[in-house]
Amino acid sequence: MLFLLKVFYVNKNETEKMNRNKKTTVKDVAEQANVSIATVSHVINKTRYVGPELVKKVQDAIEATGYVIKQKDIAESLMVGKDSVIVLIIPDLTSSLNIEITSHLNTLLVKAGYHLSVHLTNDNIEQEKIILQRIVADKNTAGIILAPASDNGKYYKKIAKTRIPFVCIERKIANFSTPYVYSSYHKAVYNATQHLINSNHRTIALFVQKDNPFCVSEKISGYKKSLKDNKIFYRTALILQLEKNSTEEEMEHQIQMIYEKFQPSAIIACENNLTYSALKTLQNIGKECPQDLSIIGIADSTWCEMSTPPITVLRHNSQLIARKAVERVVNPEPDPDNAEQQSDVEIDMELIIRKSTRMIGWGPFGEKAVAPDGISLSEREKKTLREGNFRVAISFHYGGNAWTRLHEDAIKNTLGNYGISVVSVMDAQFDPALQLTQLEAIQMQKPDALIAIPTDDKYTAEKFKELAKSTKLVFMSNIPEGLAKDDYVSCVSVNEKENGTNAGILLGEYLKHKASPKVGFLIHGTQFYGTHLRDSSAERVIRESYGNIEIMGIESFGKIEHTYDVCKKLITRHPEIEALYISWDQPALSAIKALEEMNRTDISIFTCDLDYAVASYMARKQMIMGLSTQKPYEQGQATALAVAKSLVSNDTYKYIAVQPYTIKPKQLLKAWKEIMHEPIPGDLEKMVRKSI
């Protein structure tokens, strides 16, 4: 990155010579016409379009002042030309935002025939004052782009009196009339707080750095408004305002104090150094992001995406900031018919959701979810388990996929570590009647505990109630209808709200740049708590966060095989559909079969859960373009731990939620190993590498 870095000094002898020479200058013409020097230059040189009214004003001023236009005068005295300079005055080049803005300004100004000169103030008003004095006195200064060190207008009155075009970026000066181009921090922090609230966070801290009062006020007001809109009590103690010159140790100490005192579940860190300090503080006190604390940062530095976990951020539109600033400096006389050109420019920031934020799960009875690593067994409890000869049975709703196999392997391995035997594993093949028969057989075996996934919440409910009287019940995914909290030990599930939200975000991000994309939803018709929450969460995020997307139809299927016909009917009725959300992988594969027969492989699919068939489409970047998946092995481990704990203790965990995992095609190699706990099959690996 190459910029022209200059410091301009006024030569005393030249100044005295200019004072003795009383000939009319371009500046005199600009003052007479009440326009900028740049506009006079554009009229004389015809280097930019200038409206007829302004052209006449300049021409009249030239005549009134007696200014004589000569080629020599133009070459020597005009400010605007190939040697003209636009000056950028900013606090520093340590932040990614300032670096990006500077880079974009340089590119734009070179194309426009200007040089960019960069001056750094370190937010020191006296240093800034000296810089401004120098550049105002230099005849080559054609415009000023300023991130002011103060919001006090008295420091900038002299600039306002000059004819040098002047625009402020990212910061405002109180009661001062000059164009502003700035990021919408109020709206950005509002959206970030809203995202956390929608993820069930209620104790949210805000970290801001004391710099420009306008920026600080905008961030705090956005935070407060989101809390107010959601009827969440606002506590000033949850706002941490840090001095800009604070050391790392001071920042980490204050962050640790607020975390230990208030135990926030999430923070919004309004500077990159605050985000970094928050992550470092968590590490120092033995906590993890996002398990213990969700973090949203502002500004998308390279390290934010490469961090572990990748950081959810509010991203500035630095390119648009630079372009709007250049427009106002290079063309300082706005078109009177263009209201947007005359007003301040407020630029939206984009919320980039990565893995540093998580959704807090809630169980069927409103219980706050416990993470799997929150389940612990004492040495005494482990000894009791190994001596107890405990027996456990498993009743799966369906056993024909990798999801069930991974669950079963994890349950058996984990229980085996404590000497607990698995006496039977039943597969109901999604048939409620068959599951009832299998439950009868399990009841005769008299296991100490039963792990089960109901095939139908209503049909199987009475049998599970009966089993609850003699056996400890641990459910996976959902609870049969009519069972009370005391009828079962635990429910272990993926965080289904987050699972559906992730799939919805993947769909929304895929289509967000299109003008008016059309989508459809294929959801599970059986009212399982888990799949219903997942499907409704995916729909909600599209309706609330992606206003450009129109949902053309929402159709439900009961059995997996019904998805084929349901999909065909939906696409026949709405052929304009470009993408589908489908509840999970097996019905998605059934829908793909229908779409292939209809020659509609142009439709992109977003779903939940990973298996070989789904991965083969994703590896080739065909149809399946994103999914949020459960982590079945980890869920199996959590289920086994819940069972083990219930056999030796009354301190049980009513709802245990495992965080889901999002996958895009380019992430498949890493994701397969982490989800399946084995290397990706060779043929899939070849497909992935071929499509990269």
Side-chain angles (χ1 to χ4, degrees):
M1 189 186 308
L2 181 61
F3 305 111
L4 176 64
L5 295 171
K6 292 183 179 179
V7 178
F8 296 102
Y9 295 88
V10 179
N11 184 292
K12 183 178 179 182
N13 292 332
E14 288 181 3
T15 303
E16 290 175 354
K17 183 180 178 182
M18 290 168 58
N19 289 336
R20 289 194 302 269
N21 187 351
K22 298 298 183 180
K23 71 177 183 179
T24 306
T25 66
V26 176
K27 184 176 180 182
D28 297 326
V29 176
E31 289 178 351
Q32 176 71 24
N34 196 27
V35 298
S36 71
I37 295 172
T39 299
V40 176
S41 171
H42 293 324
V43 171
I44 294 172
N45 289 329
K46 296 182 172 56
T47 50
R48 299 279 189 281
Y49 170 78
V50 180
E53 289 184 9
L54 291 180
V55 170
K56 187 175 186 310
K57 286 178 70 175
V58 172
Q59 289 172 342
D60 290 345
I62 289 172
E63 185 176 343
T65 58
Y67 180 72
V68 179
I69 303 174
K70 299 178 182 178
Q71 287 302 117
K72 185 173 182 298
D73 292 336
I74 294 170
E76 291 181 354
S77 64
L78 282 182
M79 295 177 67
V80 177
K82 68 177 184 178
D83 293 325
S84 298
V85 175
I86 300 293
V87 177
L88 172 64
I89 306 172
I90 51 178
D92 52 56
L93 279 171
T94 59
S95 76
S96 59
L97 176 61
N98 286 344
I99 293 170
E100 289 171 12
I101 289 175
T102 305
S103 177
H104 292 311
L105 284 172
N106 189 59
T107 301
L108 292 165
L109 290 169
V110 167
K111 288 181 181 178
Y114 294 85
H115 295 301
L116 174 67
S117 177
V118 182
H119 297 257
L120 309 179
T121 67
N122 296 311
D123 265 333
N124 183 303
I125 188 61
E126 292 303 319
Q127 189 171 329
E128 182 185 73
K129 186 178 178 181
I130 294 169
I131 291 169
L132 287 170
Q133 287 173 344
R134 288 172 178 168
I135 65 176
V136 167
D138 194 288
K139 69 177 183 179
N140 289 315
T141 302
I144 300 170
I145 300 172
L146 172 68
S150 171
D151 68 337
N152 191 333
K154 72 178 184 180
Y155 295 113
Y156 308 99
K157 287 181 180 179
K158 288 185 179 180
I159 306 179
K161 291 178 181 178
T162 71
R163 293 294 170 184
I164 301 173
F166 171 40
V167 63
C168 285
I169 57 169
E170 284 300 281
R171 298 175 174 185
K172 278 195 171 187
I173 303 168
N175 302 315
F176 197 77
S177 178
T178 192
Y180 296 96
V181 179
Y182 60 95
S183 299
S184 179
Y185 287 110
H186 173 92
K187 185 176 179 181
V189 175
Y190 178 92
N191 289 341
T193 310
Q194 200 68 29
H195 171 70
L196 292 169
I197 292 170
N198 289 340
S199 299
N200 294 331
H201 293 273
R202 292 298 179 268
T203 307
I204 303 167
L206 179 71
F207 297 171
V208 295
Q209 191 164 269
K210 293 180 182 177
D211 42 36
N212 185 270
F214 167 75
C215 295
V216 173
S217 174
E218 287 287 286
K219 293 166 186 174
I220 292 174
S221 66
Y223 168 78
K224 289 173 69 174
K225 187 175 189 308
S226 179
L227 296 179
K228 182 179 179 181
D229 288 351
N230 290 276
K231 297 179 173 56
I232 297 174
F233 181 67
Y234 165 67
R235 289 188 284 177
T236 55
L238 283 171
I239 296 180
L240 179 59
Q241 296 193 50
L242 291 149
E243 298 293 340
K244 187 170 183 180
N245 58 358
S246 297
T247 65
E248 279 190 27
E249 291 76 14
E250 288 170 339
M251 287 192 288
E252 289 166 22
H253 174 71
Q254 291 187 64
I255 290 170
Q256 182 174 343
M257 292 288 288
I258 201 170
Y259 180 79
E260 291 178 349
K261 185 173 182 179
F262 298 103
Q263 295 291 304
S265 63
I267 64 165
I268 302 167
C270 293
E271 295 290 343
N272 260 333
N273 59 334
L274 298 181
T275 307
Y276 177 80
S277 292
L279 288 168
K280 192 173 178 182
T281 302
L282 283 182
Q283 186 180 54
N284 290 342
I285 62 176
K287 302 293 182 180
E288 293 186 14
C289 172
Q291 289 88 338
D292 299 302
L293 185 72
S294 290
I295 296 177
I296 296 179
I298 288 186
D300 193 17
S301 296
T302 304
W303 70 266
C304 291
E305 190 169 9
M306 301 304 293
S307 171
T308 303
I311 306 300
T312 296
V313 295
L314 289 160
R315 177 188 289 167
H316 296 88
N317 191 336
S318 55
Q319 189 170 16
L320 186 57
I321 292 170
R323 181 162 64 82
K324 291 297 183 181
V326 168
E327 286 176 5
R328 278 152 179 75
V329 169
V330 173
N331 298 301
E333 307 299 338
D335 180 350
D337 296 326
N338 188 338
E340 190 275 336
Q341 192 183 5
Q342 298 181 65
S343 64
D344 296 341
V345 182
E346 187 174 359
I347 296 173
D348 287 346
M349 299 174 70
E350 183 181 7
L351 179 62
I352 308 296
I353 299 172
R354 299 194 180 115
K355 295 184 178 179
S356 66
T357 54
R358 75 179 185 96
M359 189 166 289
I360 296 175
W362 299 94
F365 295 96
E367 315 95 327
K368 186 176 180 179
V370 174
D373 56 10
I375 308 171
S376 61
L377 291 164
S378 68
E379 291 303 316
R380 182 177 179 179
E381 287 171 338
K382 292 175 185 178
K383 184 174 184 294
T384 303
L385 287 170
R386 292 189 179 100
E387 295 173 351
N389 297 317
F390 292 109
R391 301 159 64 250
V392 175
I394 304 172
S395 175
F396 283 121
H397 61 334
Y398 178 71
N401 57 16
W403 187 91
T404 307
R405 175 181 59 78
L406 287 164
H407 265 87
E408 183 177 341
D409 288 348
I411 290 169
K412 286 181 175 179
N413 292 341
T414 305
L415 292 178
N417 290 336
Y418 303 111
I420 302 169
S421 60
V422 176
V423 293
S424 63
V425 180
M426 302 286 188
D427 173 9
Q429 292 292 310
F430 279 117
D431 184 341
L434 176 58
Q435 187 170 44
L436 283 180
T437 301
Q438 292 173 345
L439 290 174
E440 291 281 355
I442 288 172
Q443 191 172 23
M444 294 176 65
Q445 293 175 321
K446 297 182 179 180
D448 297 291
L450 169 62
I451 298 168
I453 305 178
T455 55
D456 183 281
D457 281 354
K458 293 182 179 179
Y459 197 84
T460 59
E462 287 303 319
K463 190 63 187 177
F464 280 116
K465 280 185 181 180
E466 184 181 335
L467 281 162
K469 296 174 182 177
S470 58
T471 303
K472 294 181 182 294
L473 298 182
V474 174
F475 290 105
M476 290 189 287
S477 298
N478 58 286
I479 309 298
E481 190 174 290
L483 266 71
K485 287 173 66 174
D486 295 336
D487 290 332
Y488 65 96
V489 172
S490 296
C491 177
V492 181
S493 176
V494 66
N495 188 332
E496 289 290 13
K497 186 173 182 180
E498 185 170 6
N499 206 19
T501 297
N502 287 348
I505 289 171
L506 288 167
L507 171 57
E509 291 295 305
Y510 187 77
L511 296 174
K512 72 177 181 180
H513 296 301
K514 293 197 173 186
S516 54
K518 310 293 191 294
V519 303
F521 274 59
L522 299 179
I523 65 173
H524 195 198
T526 304
Q527 288 295 299
F528 284 156
Y529 172 78
T531 52
H532 173 69
L533 183 58
R534 178 195 310 168
D535 295 342
S536 62
S537 297
E539 179 189 350
R540 178 190 56 77
V541 79
I542 292 297
R543 294 195 187 278
E544 292 182 0
S545 302
Y546 299 95
N548 65 312
I549 298 176
E550 184 178 358
I551 299 176
M552 303 306 297
I554 299 176
E555 300 293 336
S556 62
F557 58 88
K559 294 184 177 180
I560 290 174
E561 57 268 25
H562 295 165
T563 317
Y564 173 89
D565 291 325
V566 171
C567 180
K568 276 196 168 183
K569 289 176 183 176
L570 178 62
I571 301 304
T572 300
R573 192 162 60 252
H574 296 289
E576 68 274 25
I577 282 176
E578 301 173 48
L580 289 170
Y581 162 84
I582 305 175
S583 193
W584 75 91
D585 60 325
Q586 295 304 308
L589 293 170
S590 184
I592 285 174
K593 182 179 178 182
L595 293 172
E596 288 175 335
E597 289 181 8
M598 298 174 76
N599 198 29
R600 289 302 309 273
T601 56
D602 59 305
I603 293 177
S604 300
I605 290 173
F606 297 84
T607 187
C608 296
D609 296 339
L610 179 68
D611 75 353
Y612 180 89
V614 166
S616 67
Y617 281 100
M618 183 173 271
R620 291 171 285 161
K621 295 184 179 177
Q622 291 182 358
M623 301 187 75
I624 297 180
M625 302 308 296
L627 59 88
S628 179
T629 182
Q630 300 183 49
K631 298 166 80 171
Y633 194 89
E634 285 75 7
Q635 286 169 225
Q637 287 178 316
T639 302
L641 285 172
V643 168
K645 187 72 172 180
S646 73
L647 293 172
V648 292
S649 172
N650 292 323
D651 297 329
T652 56
Y653 308 88
K654 194 56 68 174
Y655 186 65
I656 302 161
V658 179
Q659 192 176 2
Y661 189 113
T662 56
I663 309 174
K664 296 178 183 178
K666 66 180 180 180
Q667 300 161 337
L668 188 56
L669 289 177
K670 179 183 178 184
W672 183 277
K673 187 173 183 180
E674 292 189 10
I675 300 301
M676 298 300 187
H677 290 260
E678 62 184 18
I680 192 168
D683 56 340
L684 283 180
E685 183 177 2
K686 287 179 183 178
M687 291 181 206
V688 174
R689 297 195 183 282
K690 187 176 180 181
S691 66
I692 293 176

